[in-house]
Amino acid sequence: MSETPTWDYAPAPESSAIVNLKEEYGHFIGGESVPSADGATMETINPANEQVLTRFAKGGQEDVDRAVASARKAYDEVWSKISAADRGKYLYRIARLLQERSREFAILESMDGGKPIRESRDIDIPLAAHHFFYHAGWADKLPYAFPNQTVNPLGVAGQIIPWNFPLLMAAWKLAPALACGNTVVLKPAETTPLTALLLAELIQDAGLPPGVVNVVTGAGETGAALSSHAGVDKIAFTGSTEVGKLIQRTAKTRNLTLELGGKAANIVFEDAPLDQAVEGIINGIYFNQGHVCCAGSRLLVQESVADLLVEKLDHRIKSLRVGDPLDKNTDVGAINSREQLDRICELVESGKAEGSELHQSTEDLPEKGWFFAPSYFTGVAPSHRIAREEIFGPVLSIMTFRTPDEAVEKANNTMYGLSAGIWTDKGSRIFKLLGEMNAGVVWANTFNKFDPSSPFGGYKESGYGREGGKQGLAAYLEVK
Ligand code: NAP
Ligand code: MG
C-alpha cells in the first residue's frame, strides 16, 4: 500500500459571509439580550486560527437569579397555561426555522468550535432540527406515552451543556423540556456559546413567549450558580464526570440527569467485515476530533485478525484530511481549545511513557490553530492511562482478545459505561453480548449513530437518566 494515499485537493472553504457576528453578545433573559449585572464579558476564539470571534457576557449569581426568575414567571403566567397543542406548534416552528437557517448555523458552529463543516452541516444541525420535530410531536401526546398515569411538568429546568456538540446538546435539552411544559435556563460552554445564542434569537423569531427559554453565558462559576440554584426544579447536565459529581452534591433539586464521560470499547471479531469495520472505527474515534463522549476510544480486536485490521486502519488514517474546518474536504478539524489540546498531549505522552507504541498520520498540520494528528496506540495494556482515561481527542488505544468472554471482560473493565460497538457476522453473538455489556448504547456493525427516538445515557460513572425517546420525556415530567 502506498505511504501517502491523500491527493492534493484545491481548497474548498465555505464562505462565512452568511454569519453576522455582533461585536458583543448579552445573555438572553426574558426575551431580551442583556449584559451581565457587573458588565463582565469574555471572548470566544476560532480554534482553527486562534482569532477572537467576538465577546459575550460572563454571567454571575445575579444574572442566573434574573434568568431563573424570568423562567419562573413565564412558567407560572404563560407556559403552564397554554395548551399542549400550542406548545407543539412552537416547537414545530423552531424546527422549521432551524432547517431554513441551517447553513448559517453550520458555519457558525464550525467557526466557534472547530468541527468540520461536513459534520456540522450533515449531522449536528439536521439532528438538532430533528429533535425539535420529534418532540413537537410528543407535546400533545404525553398521555399516550404514559398511559393510565398523570403527567405534569416539573417547572423550571436548569440545563448545562458542553462544547463538543453545542447546538445539538442545546436541542437535546430544550426540545423535551419545552414539549413537556417546562421553562428553561440554558448555560452553554464557555468556548462555544454562539450557536446557543443564535438559537435564542431564532426562538424569539418563532414567537415563544418571553422567559420560556433563557440563555445565560459564562464560565464554570456561571454553571455552578445555576446547578446549585434553589429556584430550579430540574437540573440536566452534560459534561465531565468530575463536574457531574460536584453537581450531584450541590444541586438543591432531586430531579437530576447527568450525561457524563465514556471510554467505549469497539469490539471487532474475526468474522466481521473488516473494511466496513475500519470505516466504523474511523467514524467512532476520529469523528469530531474524538470530542465525543461515546467515542469508540478503545479498539478490542480479535488476535487472529489484529495485524490485518491494524494495517488497513493505518492506511485509512493516513488518508484523513486534517485542517480548515470550513473546508468541505476536511475530515478532522480543530481541537476545541488550547486547554483540550494540552490535555490530549499530556495523555499521549503518558501512553508513550507507559510503554505503548504511538502511530500517527503523517499529514502536515496547519501552522496556526489547534490541531492534533489522528493517532493510535498499539501494545496497550488495560492498566495504561490511555486505556482507562477519557482522552477526548483523535487518539485510539488498540488491544487484542482471544475469546468473546475475554472481549466482554475487557470491554466492561472501565469505570464508564456509556456506549460500545460490536462487529461480527453472527447475529446470535450480537444478542448474547448485548446482554453482557455494561453500556447504555451498543451499536452493532455501525458506530456513532443517533436518533431522537432512541434513548441515550450511561451506566456507572457515565451518569444516569436517559435523553431521547419516551424515556427522555420522563426526565422532564412528574409521572404519577
Ligand atoms: P465540563 O468541564 O464538565 O463542562 C461542561 C459544562 O459544565 C460547561 O458548560 C461548563 O462551563 C460547565 N461547568 C464547568 N464547571 C462547572 C461547575 N462547577 N458547575 C456547573 N457547571 C460547570 O466538561 P468539558 O470538559 O467542557 O466537556 C467534555 C466532557 O463532557 C467530557 O468528559 C465528555 O465525556 C463529556 N460529555 C458527555 C456527554 C454525554 O452525553 N454523556 C456529551 C458530551 C460531552 P464552562 O465551559 O464555562 O467551563
Ligand atoms: Mg470558540
Side-chain angles (χ1 to χ4, degrees):
M1 291 178 187
S2 79
E3 257 309 292
T4 48
T6 43
W7 297 77
D8 273 338
Y9 283 176
E14 277 282 345
S15 160
S16 59
I18 194 172
V19 171
N20 281 313
L21 281 177
K22 297 180 195 161
E23 260 169 48
E24 199 169 303
Y25 289 79
H27 307 296
F28 182 71
I29 299 177
E32 285 172 37
S33 175
V34 293
S36 283
D38 63 3
T41 61
M42 320 173 56
E43 54 194 26
T44 183
I45 293 171
N46 180 340
N49 58 22
E50 299 172 51
Q51 278 168 7
V52 174
L53 283 168
T54 180
R55 302 191 67 82
F56 63 96
K58 182 179 186 205
Q61 186 68 48
E62 218 178 313
D63 306 298
V64 172
D65 287 348
R66 220 171 0 150
V68 172
S70 151
R72 173 67 56 195
K73 186 165 182 280
Y75 179 76
D76 289 342
E77 295 177 5
V78 190
W79 202 239
S80 61
K81 301 220 162 78
I82 70 167
S83 73
D86 281 342
R87 292 202 306 269
K89 281 186 209 162
Y90 283 116
L91 287 172
Y92 277 122
R93 213 178 283 165
I94 295 172
R96 282 195 303 267
L97 286 172
L98 204 47
Q99 283 186 321
E100 278 167 24
R101 293 175 68 177
S102 60
R103 188 156 169 267
E104 181 185 356
F105 272 90
I107 292 169
L108 184 61
E109 194 76 313
S110 285
M111 288 168 74
D112 202 16
K115 67 174 66 200
I117 185 71
R118 225 179 43 206
E119 285 171 10
S120 46
R121 184 195 63 198
D122 297 348
I123 297 168
D124 295 57
I125 312 305
L127 260 180
H130 197 173
H131 270 269
F132 282 106
F133 275 120
Y134 174 80
H135 288 96
W138 271 126
D140 61 351
K141 298 171 198 72
L142 296 174
Y144 298 94
F146 304 95
N148 304 319
Q149 291 173 295
T150 27
V151 291
N152 287 306
L154 297 172
V156 175
Q159 308 184 316
I160 300 167
I161 56 174
W163 43 260
N164 58 345
F165 292 93
L167 183 75
L168 184 58
M169 287 298 121
W172 274 37
K173 298 263 182 292
L174 288 172
L178 298 176
C180 293
N182 304 276
T183 57
V184 173
V185 179
L186 177 81
K187 151 71 178 77
E190 67 184 274
T191 57
T192 53
L194 297 181
T195 46
L197 290 168
L198 189 61
L199 181 64
E201 281 174 28
L202 180 150
I203 282 173
Q204 197 174 23
D205 292 345
L208 248 79
V212 173
V213 172
N214 304 274
V215 179
V216 181
T217 51
E221 310 93 82
T222 320
L226 178 58
S227 60
S228 62
H229 205 284
V232 297
D233 306 299
K234 153 91 191 174
I235 290 291
F237 171 77
T238 297
S240 60
T241 298
E242 188 190 346
V243 173
K245 285 181 178 173
L246 202 69
I247 289 179
Q248 194 172 19
R249 284 199 295 275
T250 53
K252 305 283 189 305
T253 169
R254 281 183 300 146
N255 297 316
L256 196 59
T257 38
L258 300 173
E259 302 279 357
L260 310 176
K263 191 74 189 172
N266 206 356
I267 307 176
V268 181
F269 287 94
E270 60 189 2
D271 63 347
L274 292 190
D275 292 315
Q276 202 181 315
V278 165
E279 288 312 308
I281 296 161
I282 294 283
N283 184 35
I285 184 69
Y286 304 113
F287 164 57
N288 200 23
Q289 297 72 249
H291 298 336
V292 185
C293 48
C294 49
S297 54
R298 290 182 299 152
L299 174 64
L300 300 178
V301 51
Q302 199 156 17
E303 219 171 76
S304 48
V305 289
D307 289 347
L308 180 59
L309 185 78
V310 171
E311 188 189 335
K312 285 174 181 282
L313 193 63
D314 188 81
H315 187 255
R316 182 67 179 90
I317 284 170
K318 286 180 178 151
S319 74
L320 292 174
R321 288 161 198 282
V322 185
D324 181 3
L326 287 184
D327 194 309
K328 295 184 261 302
N329 294 322
T330 293
D331 297 305
V332 179
I335 301 298
N336 184 265
S337 64
R338 167 94 248 169
E339 203 187 351
Q340 185 58 28
L341 181 58
D342 291 346
R343 216 176 294 166
I344 295 168
C345 293
E346 194 265 324
L347 269 158
V348 165
E349 285 309 312
S350 87
K352 289 197 282 184
E354 287 187 305
S356 300
E357 196 180 327
L358 175 68
H359 311 260
Q360 289 186 304
S361 98
T362 44
E363 211 198 341
D364 289 339
L365 300 181
E367 277 169 20
K368 271 291 226 191
W370 304 312
F371 292 90
F372 197 86
S375 307
Y376 68 93
F377 276 106
T378 51
V380 180
S383 60
H384 290 173
R385 282 182 64 201
I386 53 166
R388 290 184 291 118
E389 295 178 32
E390 195 175 33
I391 303 176
F392 226 59
V395 183
L396 177 67
S397 301
I398 305 181
M399 289 171 277
T400 59
F401 67 88
R402 286 185 182 169
T403 64
D405 285 347
E406 188 190 346
V408 171
E409 196 180 314
K410 282 188 167 157
N412 286 341
N413 181 17
T414 166
M415 66 173 192
Y416 295 113
L418 192 57
S419 62
I422 304 171
W423 298 82
T424 175
D425 206 25
K426 279 203 180 75
S428 57
R429 178 176 284 156
I430 292 171
F431 283 109
K432 180 165 186 293
L433 260 61
L434 279 178
E436 296 172 351
M437 309 272 278
N438 298 327
V441 182
V442 182
W443 287 290
N445 294 325
T446 187
F447 209 90
N448 273 344
K449 290 282 186 292
F450 307 95
D451 189 278
S453 63
S454 172
F456 183 89
Y459 280 48
K460 300 194 277 187
E461 302 232 329
S462 292
Y464 52 77
R466 293 291 178 268
E467 291 189 303
K470 219 175 84 175
Q471 291 82 349
L473 296 173
Y476 285 97
L477 291 167
E478 185 190 54
V479 182
K480 282 196 283 209

